[in-house]
Amino acid sequence: MSNPTDVLPLEPLHRFHSYCARFPSEIVESAIRQFTAPGDSIYDPFCGSGTSLVAGLAHQRVVVGSDIDVLAGMLSEVKCSPASPERYGAWRGAFAAELARTFEHIRARWPPTGRRIPGRTWKVGALELELPRFSELNYWFPPQLTAFLAAIAAAAHRCGDPHLERVALVSLSASIIAKWPNTLSYAMDIDHTRPHRRVQRFTSQRVLATYLSRLDRTIDCLSALHQVYRRTGGERTLPERWRVLCPHDARHPSDQVPAESQNLIVTSPPYFDAVDYPRAHRMAVCWMNGHAPAELASRRSYIGLHQNAGLAASEWLGVHPEVKRLIPEALREGSRGRRIVGFFADLESALAQMKRVLRPGGHAVVVIGDNTLGGHVLRSHQALVGLARRLGFVILERKARQIEKLRRRFPVGPFGFDGPMTHEHVLVLHKPLRSGATEGSG
Protein backbone atom coordinates (compact mmCIF):
# COMPACT_ATOMS: atom_id res chain seq x y z
CA MET A 1 0.00 0.00 0.00
CA SER A 2 1.38 3.41 -0.94
CA ASN A 3 2.00 5.98 1.72
CA PRO A 4 -1.09 8.26 1.79
CA THR A 5 0.99 11.27 2.81
CA ASP A 6 3.01 10.97 -0.41
CA VAL A 7 -0.19 11.93 -2.22
CA LEU A 8 -1.63 14.40 0.27
CA PRO A 9 0.85 16.04 2.70
CA LEU A 10 -0.35 16.35 6.29
CA GLU A 11 1.02 19.78 7.14
CA PRO A 12 -1.60 21.89 5.28
CA LEU A 13 -4.42 19.91 6.90
CA HIS A 14 -3.68 21.48 10.30
CA ARG A 15 -4.17 25.02 9.05
CA PHE A 16 -7.86 25.49 9.72
CA HIS A 17 -7.04 26.67 13.24
CA SER A 18 -3.97 28.49 14.52
CA TYR A 19 -2.13 26.95 17.44
CA CYS A 20 0.91 28.72 18.78
CA ALA A 21 4.31 26.99 18.41
CA ARG A 22 2.95 23.85 16.74
CA PHE A 23 5.83 21.72 15.53
CA PRO A 24 5.95 20.42 11.93
CA SER A 25 4.61 17.08 10.75
CA GLU A 26 7.90 15.98 9.17
CA ILE A 27 9.56 15.56 12.59
CA VAL A 28 6.86 13.12 13.64
CA GLU A 29 6.72 11.28 10.33
CA SER A 30 10.48 10.78 10.32
CA ALA A 31 10.41 9.35 13.86
CA ILE A 32 7.47 7.07 13.00
CA ARG A 33 9.28 5.59 10.00
CA GLN A 34 12.54 5.15 11.90
CA PHE A 35 11.34 3.72 15.19
CA THR A 36 7.94 2.03 14.69
CA ALA A 37 6.01 -0.42 12.53
CA PRO A 38 2.29 -0.42 11.59
CA GLY A 39 0.18 -1.22 14.63
CA ASP A 40 2.69 0.17 17.14
CA SER A 41 1.55 2.71 19.70
CA ILE A 42 2.70 6.35 19.83
CA TYR A 43 2.18 8.72 22.76
CA ASP A 44 2.42 12.51 22.89
CA PRO A 45 2.08 13.80 26.49
CA PHE A 46 1.99 17.43 25.25
CA CYS A 47 -0.13 16.76 22.18
CA GLY A 48 -1.23 20.38 21.57
CA SER A 49 -3.36 20.55 18.43
CA GLY A 50 -2.64 16.95 17.46
CA THR A 51 0.33 16.97 15.05
CA SER A 52 1.76 13.69 16.40
CA LEU A 53 -1.65 12.03 16.56
CA VAL A 54 -2.57 12.86 12.98
CA ALA A 55 0.77 11.60 11.67
CA GLY A 56 0.46 8.39 13.67
CA LEU A 57 -3.03 7.62 12.39
CA ALA A 58 -2.02 8.42 8.81
CA HIS A 59 0.80 5.88 9.12
CA GLN A 60 -1.41 3.10 10.54
CA ARG A 61 -0.26 3.45 14.15
CA VAL A 62 -2.23 3.56 17.40
CA VAL A 63 -2.01 6.97 19.06
CA VAL A 64 -2.54 8.40 22.54
CA GLY A 65 -2.38 12.11 23.25
CA SER A 66 -2.74 14.12 26.42
CA ASP A 67 -2.66 17.80 27.25
CA ILE A 68 -3.61 20.07 30.11
CA ASP A 69 -5.11 22.64 27.73
CA VAL A 70 -8.84 22.58 26.85
CA LEU A 71 -8.38 23.95 23.33
CA ALA A 72 -5.64 21.43 22.60
CA GLY A 73 -7.91 18.57 23.61
CA MET A 74 -10.78 19.74 21.41
CA LEU A 75 -8.58 20.25 18.34
CA SER A 76 -6.89 16.88 18.77
CA GLU A 77 -10.21 15.07 19.12
CA VAL A 78 -11.62 16.70 15.98
CA LYS A 79 -8.56 15.78 13.91
CA CYS A 80 -8.56 12.18 15.10
CA SER A 81 -12.22 11.60 14.18
CA PRO A 82 -12.96 13.39 10.88
CA ALA A 83 -16.22 12.65 9.10
CA SER A 84 -16.81 12.06 5.40
CA PRO A 85 -17.37 14.98 3.02
CA GLU A 86 -20.93 13.70 2.48
CA ARG A 87 -21.73 13.87 6.18
CA TYR A 88 -20.36 17.38 6.48
CA GLY A 89 -22.21 18.48 3.36
CA ALA A 90 -25.56 17.18 4.59
CA TRP A 91 -25.16 19.09 7.86
CA ARG A 92 -23.50 22.30 6.71
CA GLY A 93 -26.39 23.63 4.57
CA ALA A 94 -29.00 23.33 7.31
CA PHE A 95 -26.62 24.74 9.94
CA ALA A 96 -25.78 27.79 7.80
CA ALA A 97 -29.48 28.42 7.09
CA GLU A 98 -30.25 28.29 10.83
CA LEU A 99 -27.52 30.83 11.53
CA ALA A 100 -28.78 33.14 8.79
CA ARG A 101 -32.31 33.11 10.27
CA THR A 102 -30.99 33.71 13.76
CA PHE A 103 -28.77 36.59 12.64
CA GLU A 104 -31.70 38.23 10.87
CA HIS A 105 -33.80 37.86 14.02
CA ILE A 106 -31.07 39.60 16.05
CA ARG A 107 -30.66 42.37 13.49
CA ALA A 108 -34.41 43.00 13.18
CA ARG A 109 -35.01 43.15 16.94
CA TRP A 110 -31.99 45.19 17.90
CA PRO A 111 -31.35 46.71 20.43
CA PRO A 112 -31.97 44.17 23.19
CA THR A 113 -33.36 44.82 26.63
CA GLY A 114 -31.10 44.57 29.64
CA ARG A 115 -27.36 44.74 30.15
CA ARG A 116 -24.64 42.43 28.91
CA ILE A 117 -23.41 40.63 32.01
CA PRO A 118 -20.79 37.90 31.54
CA GLY A 119 -22.12 34.52 32.59
CA ARG A 120 -25.78 35.61 32.41
CA THR A 121 -28.57 35.22 29.89
CA TRP A 122 -29.10 38.12 27.50
CA LYS A 123 -32.51 38.50 25.84
CA VAL A 124 -32.64 39.65 22.20
CA GLY A 125 -36.17 39.45 20.82
CA ALA A 126 -37.33 35.87 21.35
CA LEU A 127 -33.76 34.65 21.89
CA GLU A 128 -32.18 34.03 25.27
CA LEU A 129 -28.44 34.01 24.66
CA GLU A 130 -25.97 32.58 27.16
CA LEU A 131 -22.99 34.89 27.54
CA PRO A 132 -19.53 33.55 28.41
CA ARG A 133 -18.22 33.97 31.92
CA PHE A 134 -15.41 36.19 30.68
CA SER A 135 -14.95 39.32 32.75
CA GLU A 136 -13.45 41.31 29.83
CA LEU A 137 -16.24 40.37 27.44
CA ASN A 138 -17.51 43.92 26.95
CA TYR A 139 -14.01 45.27 26.32
CA TRP A 140 -13.06 42.90 23.50
CA PHE A 141 -16.46 42.32 21.85
CA PRO A 142 -19.02 44.99 20.84
CA PRO A 143 -22.70 44.37 21.72
CA GLN A 144 -24.11 43.09 18.42
CA LEU A 145 -21.06 40.92 17.72
CA THR A 146 -21.51 39.44 21.20
CA ALA A 147 -25.05 38.43 20.25
CA PHE A 148 -23.93 36.87 16.96
CA LEU A 149 -21.14 34.86 18.58
CA ALA A 150 -23.43 33.66 21.36
CA ALA A 151 -25.96 32.59 18.70
CA ILE A 152 -23.30 30.57 16.85
CA ALA A 153 -22.24 28.83 20.06
CA ALA A 154 -25.88 28.04 20.92
CA ALA A 155 -26.53 26.61 17.44
CA ALA A 156 -23.41 24.46 17.74
CA HIS A 157 -24.60 23.02 21.05
CA ARG A 158 -27.92 22.12 19.40
CA CYS A 159 -26.27 20.03 16.68
CA GLY A 160 -27.06 16.78 18.47
CA ASP A 161 -23.84 15.23 17.14
CA PRO A 162 -20.73 15.61 19.35
CA HIS A 163 -18.31 15.68 16.44
CA LEU A 164 -20.27 18.24 14.41
CA GLU A 165 -20.68 20.36 17.55
CA ARG A 166 -16.89 20.41 18.00
CA VAL A 167 -16.37 21.26 14.34
CA ALA A 168 -18.73 24.23 14.67
CA LEU A 169 -17.04 25.37 17.89
CA VAL A 170 -13.42 25.11 16.77
CA SER A 171 -14.42 27.08 13.66
CA LEU A 172 -15.86 29.73 15.96
CA SER A 173 -12.60 29.76 17.90
CA ALA A 174 -10.62 30.08 14.67
CA SER A 175 -12.78 33.06 13.65
CA ILE A 176 -12.02 34.88 16.88
CA ILE A 177 -8.24 34.33 16.88
CA ALA A 178 -7.76 35.03 13.15
CA LYS A 179 -5.21 37.66 12.15
CA TRP A 180 -6.30 41.29 12.09
CA PRO A 181 -8.48 42.58 10.49
CA ASN A 182 -10.22 39.25 9.84
CA THR A 183 -10.76 38.51 13.51
CA LEU A 184 -14.23 38.61 15.05
CA SER A 185 -13.11 40.71 18.02
CA TYR A 186 -11.42 44.01 18.84
CA ALA A 187 -8.17 42.15 19.56
CA MET A 188 -5.02 42.43 17.46
CA ASP A 189 -2.21 39.87 17.69
CA ILE A 190 -4.25 37.61 19.91
CA ASP A 191 -1.78 34.72 19.63
CA HIS A 192 0.84 36.85 21.42
CA THR A 193 -1.32 36.58 24.58
CA ARG A 194 -1.20 40.31 25.32
CA PRO A 195 -3.26 41.68 22.43
CA HIS A 196 -3.89 45.28 21.53
CA ARG A 197 -7.42 46.63 21.20
CA ARG A 198 -8.54 48.22 17.96
CA VAL A 199 -12.17 49.04 17.27
CA GLN A 200 -13.69 47.94 13.99
CA ARG A 201 -17.23 47.64 12.61
CA PHE A 202 -19.10 44.35 12.40
CA THR A 203 -22.27 43.77 10.37
CA SER A 204 -24.40 40.65 10.43
CA GLN A 205 -23.36 39.89 6.84
CA ARG A 206 -19.67 40.21 7.64
CA VAL A 207 -19.85 38.07 10.78
CA LEU A 208 -21.81 35.31 9.06
CA ALA A 209 -19.56 35.30 5.99
CA THR A 210 -16.40 35.26 8.13
CA TYR A 211 -17.64 32.41 10.28
CA LEU A 212 -18.91 30.29 7.38
CA SER A 213 -15.63 30.80 5.54
CA ARG A 214 -13.79 29.42 8.59
CA LEU A 215 -16.29 26.58 8.90
CA ASP A 216 -15.76 25.64 5.25
CA ARG A 217 -12.00 25.69 5.73
CA THR A 218 -12.36 23.36 8.73
CA ILE A 219 -14.61 21.02 6.76
CA ASP A 220 -12.22 20.96 3.80
CA CYS A 221 -9.24 20.04 5.99
CA LEU A 222 -11.12 17.41 7.97
CA SER A 223 -12.58 15.90 4.80
CA ALA A 224 -9.04 15.61 3.43
CA LEU A 225 -7.91 13.97 6.68
CA HIS A 226 -10.77 11.51 6.35
CA GLN A 227 -9.46 10.68 2.88
CA VAL A 228 -5.93 10.16 4.24
CA TYR A 229 -7.14 7.82 6.99
CA ARG A 230 -9.33 5.90 4.54
CA ARG A 231 -6.34 5.29 2.26
CA THR A 232 -4.55 3.58 5.14
CA GLY A 233 -7.27 0.93 5.07
CA GLY A 234 -8.14 1.53 8.70
CA GLU A 235 -11.27 3.68 8.53
CA ARG A 236 -13.43 1.11 10.32
CA THR A 237 -10.88 0.64 13.09
CA LEU A 238 -10.13 4.36 13.47
CA PRO A 239 -12.21 4.84 16.68
CA GLU A 240 -10.16 2.07 18.33
CA ARG A 241 -6.80 3.55 17.32
CA TRP A 242 -6.85 6.88 19.15
CA ARG A 243 -7.38 8.35 22.61
CA VAL A 244 -7.10 11.93 23.80
CA LEU A 245 -6.81 12.54 27.55
CA CYS A 246 -7.70 16.10 28.45
CA PRO A 247 -7.13 17.72 30.81
CA HIS A 248 -4.13 15.68 31.91
CA ASP A 249 -0.92 16.86 33.57
CA ALA A 250 2.08 15.17 31.93
CA ARG A 251 3.99 15.18 35.22
CA HIS A 252 1.61 12.60 36.68
CA PRO A 253 0.71 9.03 35.69
CA SER A 254 -2.55 8.08 34.03
CA ASP A 255 -4.13 4.65 34.28
CA GLN A 256 -5.16 5.11 30.64
CA VAL A 257 -1.49 5.01 29.61
CA PRO A 258 -0.14 1.87 31.33
CA ALA A 259 3.51 1.27 32.10
CA GLU A 260 5.60 -0.03 29.19
CA SER A 261 2.71 0.30 26.72
CA GLN A 262 4.20 2.70 24.14
CA ASN A 263 6.68 2.06 21.34
CA LEU A 264 7.43 5.71 20.66
CA ILE A 265 6.96 9.13 22.25
CA VAL A 266 7.11 12.24 20.06
CA THR A 267 6.50 15.51 21.87
CA SER A 268 7.48 19.11 22.47
CA PRO A 269 7.06 20.29 26.08
CA PRO A 270 6.33 23.94 26.82
CA TYR A 271 9.38 26.19 26.85
CA PHE A 272 10.26 28.29 29.88
CA ASP A 273 8.19 31.48 30.05
CA ALA A 274 7.67 31.39 26.29
CA VAL A 275 3.98 31.04 25.43
CA ASP A 276 1.22 31.82 27.90
CA TYR A 277 -1.31 29.35 26.52
CA PRO A 278 -3.98 29.91 29.21
CA ARG A 279 -3.99 33.64 28.50
CA ALA A 280 -3.80 33.20 24.72
CA HIS A 281 -6.76 30.80 24.59
CA ARG A 282 -9.11 32.48 27.04
CA MET A 283 -10.83 34.74 24.48
CA ALA A 284 -11.79 31.85 22.21
CA VAL A 285 -12.35 28.97 24.62
CA CYS A 286 -14.95 30.87 26.65
CA TRP A 287 -17.20 30.95 23.56
CA MET A 288 -16.65 27.29 22.78
CA ASN A 289 -17.74 25.70 26.03
CA GLY A 290 -18.53 28.42 28.54
CA HIS A 291 -15.35 28.03 30.58
CA ALA A 292 -14.30 31.12 32.44
CA PRO A 293 -10.58 31.90 32.07
CA ALA A 294 -10.01 31.03 35.73
CA GLU A 295 -11.20 27.48 35.04
CA LEU A 296 -8.71 26.84 32.27
CA ALA A 297 -5.30 25.33 32.94
CA SER A 298 -3.83 27.99 35.17
CA ARG A 299 -0.30 29.16 35.75
CA ARG A 300 -0.37 27.19 39.00
CA SER A 301 -0.17 23.95 37.01
CA TYR A 302 1.20 24.86 33.57
CA ILE A 303 4.80 23.81 32.95
CA GLY A 304 7.00 26.77 32.11
CA LEU A 305 4.66 29.32 33.68
CA HIS A 306 3.94 28.39 37.28
CA GLN A 307 6.00 29.02 40.39
CA ASN A 308 6.26 25.40 41.66
CA ALA A 309 6.00 26.91 45.12
CA GLY A 310 6.40 23.61 46.97
CA LEU A 311 9.82 22.92 45.49
CA ALA A 312 12.95 23.48 47.58
CA ALA A 313 15.01 24.98 44.74
CA SER A 314 18.41 24.98 46.47
CA GLU A 315 18.07 21.37 47.57
CA TRP A 316 16.95 20.30 44.10
CA LEU A 317 19.93 21.99 42.47
CA GLY A 318 22.19 20.35 45.05
CA VAL A 319 21.33 16.91 43.74
CA HIS A 320 21.24 18.03 40.08
CA PRO A 321 24.68 19.59 39.54
CA GLU A 322 24.44 18.88 35.80
CA VAL A 323 21.50 21.33 35.64
CA LYS A 324 22.95 23.87 38.08
CA ARG A 325 26.00 24.34 35.86
CA LEU A 326 23.73 25.30 32.96
CA ILE A 327 21.88 28.09 34.79
CA PRO A 328 23.88 31.35 34.59
CA GLU A 329 24.50 32.81 38.03
CA ALA A 330 22.63 35.98 37.05
CA LEU A 331 19.48 33.89 36.56
CA ARG A 332 19.64 31.80 39.74
CA GLU A 333 18.42 34.34 42.28
CA GLY A 334 14.95 35.58 43.18
CA SER A 335 11.59 34.47 41.90
CA ARG A 336 12.81 33.97 38.33
CA GLY A 337 15.55 31.66 39.56
CA ARG A 338 13.04 29.60 41.53
CA ARG A 339 10.79 29.41 38.49
CA ILE A 340 13.67 28.22 36.30
CA VAL A 341 14.51 25.48 38.78
CA GLY A 342 10.82 24.58 38.99
CA PHE A 343 10.68 24.33 35.19
CA PHE A 344 13.52 21.82 35.10
CA ALA A 345 12.02 19.88 37.98
CA ASP A 346 8.77 19.69 36.00
CA LEU A 347 10.66 18.47 32.93
CA GLU A 348 12.25 15.76 35.06
CA SER A 349 8.81 14.64 36.26
CA ALA A 350 7.49 14.57 32.70
CA LEU A 351 10.54 12.62 31.50
CA ALA A 352 10.05 10.11 34.31
CA GLN A 353 6.49 9.50 33.12
CA MET A 354 7.72 9.11 29.55
CA LYS A 355 10.20 6.46 30.67
CA ARG A 356 7.49 4.72 32.68
CA VAL A 357 5.16 4.28 29.70
CA LEU A 358 7.83 3.42 27.10
CA ARG A 359 8.44 -0.22 26.35
CA PRO A 360 12.02 -1.42 26.87
CA GLY A 361 13.83 -0.66 23.66
CA GLY A 362 11.45 2.20 22.86
CA HIS A 363 12.37 5.74 21.86
CA ALA A 364 11.37 9.28 22.75
CA VAL A 365 11.85 12.19 20.34
CA VAL A 366 11.67 15.49 22.22
CA VAL A 367 11.76 18.97 20.65
CA ILE A 368 12.82 21.82 22.94
CA GLY A 369 14.25 25.30 22.54
CA ASP A 370 16.73 27.34 24.57
CA ASN A 371 15.87 30.68 26.16
CA THR A 372 17.73 33.97 26.17
CA LEU A 373 16.87 35.92 29.31
CA GLY A 374 18.39 39.35 29.82
CA GLY A 375 21.22 38.45 27.47
CA HIS A 376 21.95 35.14 29.24
CA VAL A 377 21.34 31.84 27.44
CA LEU A 378 19.42 29.18 29.33
CA ARG A 379 20.42 25.93 27.64
CA SER A 380 17.28 23.97 28.25
CA HIS A 381 18.12 21.25 25.74
CA GLN A 382 21.38 20.45 27.55
CA ALA A 383 19.55 20.35 30.87
CA LEU A 384 17.02 17.95 29.40
CA VAL A 385 19.87 15.71 28.18
CA GLY A 386 21.30 15.62 31.69
CA LEU A 387 17.94 14.86 33.27
CA ALA A 388 17.25 12.11 30.74
CA ARG A 389 20.59 10.45 31.45
CA ARG A 390 19.94 10.65 35.18
CA LEU A 391 16.67 8.76 34.62
CA GLY A 392 18.39 6.02 32.62
CA PHE A 393 17.77 7.09 29.05
CA VAL A 394 20.49 6.66 26.44
CA ILE A 395 20.97 9.78 24.30
CA LEU A 396 21.10 8.57 20.71
CA GLU A 397 21.09 11.92 18.97
CA ARG A 398 20.75 15.64 19.52
CA LYS A 399 20.69 18.13 16.72
CA ALA A 400 19.71 21.74 16.16
CA ARG A 401 16.81 22.45 13.83
CA GLN A 402 16.38 25.84 12.18
CA ILE A 403 12.89 27.33 12.42
CA GLU A 404 11.45 28.70 9.19
CA LYS A 405 11.36 32.50 9.19
CA LEU A 406 7.60 32.62 8.79
CA ARG A 407 7.17 30.45 11.89
CA ARG A 408 9.60 32.28 14.15
CA ARG A 409 8.17 33.90 17.24
CA PHE A 410 9.29 37.23 18.59
CA PRO A 411 8.23 37.25 22.22
CA VAL A 412 9.99 39.87 24.33
CA GLY A 413 10.07 40.95 27.95
CA PRO A 414 8.19 38.42 30.08
CA PHE A 415 8.00 35.88 27.26
CA GLY A 416 11.46 34.43 27.82
CA PHE A 417 13.39 35.52 24.71
CA ASP A 418 15.42 38.62 23.89
CA GLY A 419 14.81 38.18 20.18
CA PRO A 420 13.28 35.84 17.64
CA MET A 421 13.61 32.14 18.34
CA THR A 422 15.58 30.81 15.37
CA HIS A 423 16.49 27.26 16.46
CA GLU A 424 15.07 24.32 18.34
CA HIS A 425 16.79 21.11 19.38
CA VAL A 426 15.59 17.62 18.51
CA LEU A 427 16.68 14.99 21.04
CA VAL A 428 16.36 11.24 20.47
CA LEU A 429 16.22 9.24 23.70
CA HIS A 430 16.33 5.45 24.00
CA LYS A 431 14.99 3.33 26.85
CA PRO A 432 17.45 0.45 27.09
CA LEU A 433 16.41 -3.16 27.25
CA ARG A 434 18.43 -3.42 30.46
CA SER A 435 17.39 -1.00 33.20
CA GLY A 436 20.08 1.33 34.47
CA ALA A 437 22.08 1.74 31.25
CA THR A 438 23.16 5.34 30.84
CA GLU A 439 25.99 5.14 28.32
CA GLY A 440 25.47 6.62 24.86
CA SER A 441 26.64 9.20 22.42
CA GLY A 442 25.73 12.87 22.37
Side-chain angles (χ1 to χ4, degrees):
M1 180 180 298
S2 63
N3 183 354
T5 62
D6 292 338
V7 179
L8 192 60
L10 296 178
E11 191 63 21
L13 305 186
H14 291 280
R15 294 174 184 164
F16 62 88
H17 192 293
S18 298
Y19 196 88
C20 188
R22 186 181 66 81
F23 68 159
S25 298
E26 60 261 26
I27 292 178
V28 191
E29 293 189 84
S30 175
I32 288 171
R33 294 188 185 102
Q34 185 174 0
F35 299 121
T36 68
D40 283 351
S41 187
I42 300 168
Y43 177 45
D44 187 343
F46 302 96
C47 67
S49 63
T51 301
S52 299
L53 311 186
V54 168
L57 291 175
H59 288 271
Q60 299 175 282
R61 274 56 168 179
V62 176
V63 299
V64 183
S66 66
D67 207 289
I68 201 170
D69 190 277
V70 172
L71 178 58
M74 291 188 72
L75 288 171
S76 291
E77 288 179 357
V78 164
K79 292 176 185 178
C80 287
S81 58
S84 67
E86 294 77 16
R87 182 177 165 196
Y88 288 132
W91 163 72
R92 192 269 188 202
F95 184 68
E98 178 186 357
L99 291 181
R101 291 191 298 269
T102 304
F103 277 35
E104 177 58 27
H105 180 92
I106 292 171
R107 191 193 63 78
R109 288 158 179 79
W110 197 261
T113 57
R115 296 170 52 220
R116 282 188 299 163
I117 302 177
R120 301 283 185 87
T121 300
W122 197 29
K123 190 172 179 60
V124 182
L127 300 175
E128 292 189 357
L129 302 172
E130 296 291 334
L131 300 185
R133 290 175 291 147
F134 178 35
S135 61
E136 299 176 13
L137 177 74
N138 297 336
Y139 180 80
W140 293 112
F141 301 95
Q144 198 167 71
L145 176 61
T146 299
F148 293 143
L149 297 181
I152 294 172
H157 294 315
R158 289 195 299 269
C159 282
D161 182 307
H163 176 73
L164 296 178
E165 178 184 0
R166 292 189 189 102
V167 168
L169 290 173
V170 298
S171 301
L172 175 59
S173 170
S175 302
I176 293 169
I177 67 170
K179 292 293 185 183
W180 180 270
N182 299 315
T183 173
L184 295 182
S185 76
Y186 282 163
M188 299 177 66
D189 302 319
I190 191 169
D191 67 328
H192 290 163
T193 76
R194 284 171 167 76
H196 299 91
R197 184 176 186 262
R198 184 171 177 181
V199 173
Q200 57 174 321
R201 183 171 179 266
F202 298 97
T203 64
S204 61
Q205 294 90 343
R206 176 189 168 185
V207 175
L208 184 60
T210 298
Y211 173 73
L212 291 180
S213 175
R214 283 285 172 176
L215 179 64
D216 289 340
R217 186 172 174 180
T218 303
I219 289 173
D220 287 345
C221 290
L222 293 178
S223 296
L225 269 179
H226 182 269
Q227 181 183 8
V228 169
Y229 297 160
R230 184 172 58 188
R231 287 178 180 173
T232 69
E235 182 182 2
R236 286 185 296 178
T237 63
L238 184 63
E240 303 166 7
R241 292 195 292 122
W242 68 272
R243 281 176 291 156
V244 174
L245 317 178
C246 185
H248 174 68
D249 189 329
R251 297 172 298 174
H252 305 305
S254 168
D255 56 9
Q256 297 188 59
V257 191
E260 300 189 349
S261 63
Q262 305 300 310
N263 300 89
L264 172 67
I265 291 172
V266 187
T267 196
S268 181
Y271 301 166
F272 176 73
D273 221 8
V275 180
D276 193 335
Y277 289 99
R279 187 180 181 96
H281 294 168
R282 62 192 179 134
M283 212 175 294
V285 172
C286 69
W287 290 103
M288 293 165 65
N289 51 23
H291 282 287
E295 295 175 338
L296 303 181
S298 72
R299 292 164 185 81
R300 291 189 298 273
S301 56
Y302 214 106
I303 292 177
L305 295 178
H306 75 126
Q307 295 284 347
N308 206 344
L311 179 71
S314 297
E315 287 81 352
W316 191 90
L317 285 178
V319 296
H320 294 80
E322 73 282 9
V323 176
K324 184 176 181 178
R325 287 193 295 269
L326 295 171
I327 304 176
E329 289 190 20
L331 301 179
R332 292 180 192 172
E333 301 301 322
S335 62
R336 182 166 62 176
R338 290 191 296 272
R339 290 181 59 221
I340 290 172
V341 176
F343 170 66
F344 290 131
D346 285 340
L347 284 185
E348 182 179 40
S349 297
L351 281 170
Q353 291 307 315
M354 294 183 208
K355 187 167 185 287
R356 180 186 72 85
V357 303
L358 269 180
R359 291 174 179 169
H363 298 81
V365 177
V366 183
V367 181
I368 190 167
D370 294 339
N371 299 73
T372 303
L373 305 163
H376 302 278
V377 178
L378 184 65
R379 304 194 183 281
S380 298
H381 82 281
Q382 292 185 16
L384 193 146
V385 166
L387 293 171
R389 282 183 172 143
R390 169 181 285 271
L391 290 168
F393 280 109
V394 173
I395 315 303
L396 295 184
E397 184 179 7
R398 51 176 172 172
K399 60 183 179 181
R401 171 187 168 271
Q402 187 168 353
I403 301 173
E404 297 177 16
K405 287 185 177 180
L406 291 177
R407 296 179 61 86
R408 290 177 184 173
R409 303 211 24 97
F410 191 74
V412 295
F415 295 97
F417 300 93
D418 287 344
M421 184 178 182
T422 60
H423 291 81
E424 295 173 310
H425 295 267
V426 181
L427 311 177
V428 181
L429 316 178
H430 174 62
K431 180 176 177 177
L433 292 171
R434 294 180 297 104
S435 62
T438 58
E439 71 281 356
S441 62

